[in-house]
Amino acid sequence: MAHTKVGSATAVPLSGQHPATDALRDKTGQQFDRAYIATAREVEQKEIALFYK
């Protein structure tokens, strides 16, 4: 395994892998914050539902 310095990690493109990620990509500022929080809530609710199944 190659060692890397902190902060030198290569970004992994996420485009097309998750619709929520793509939906956030074009937003900035407060628009991004609101969409991120809404998406996080949706994901959390789905995870909770799966847990109780």
Side-chain angles (χ1 to χ4, degrees), residues 2-3 5 8 10 12-15 21-22 24 30 32 34 39-40 42 44-45 48 52:
H3 295 277
K5 293 181 183 179
S8 64
T10 303
V12 177
L14 296 175
S15 182
T21 304
D22 291 339
L24 294 173
Q30 287 182 350
F32 175 87
R34 288 186 190 116
T39 300
E42 285 180 37
E44 182 180 32
Q45 292 300 317
I48 291 170
Y52 282 110

Side-chain angles (χ1 to χ4, degrees), residues 1 6 8 10 18-19 23 27-30 36 41 43 46 48:
M1 175 182 235
V6 173
S8 64
T10 303
H18 198 282
K27 294 176 177 30
T28 59
Q30 287 182 350
Y36 180 86
R41 285 181 181 157
V43 170
K46 289 177 183 178
I48 291 170

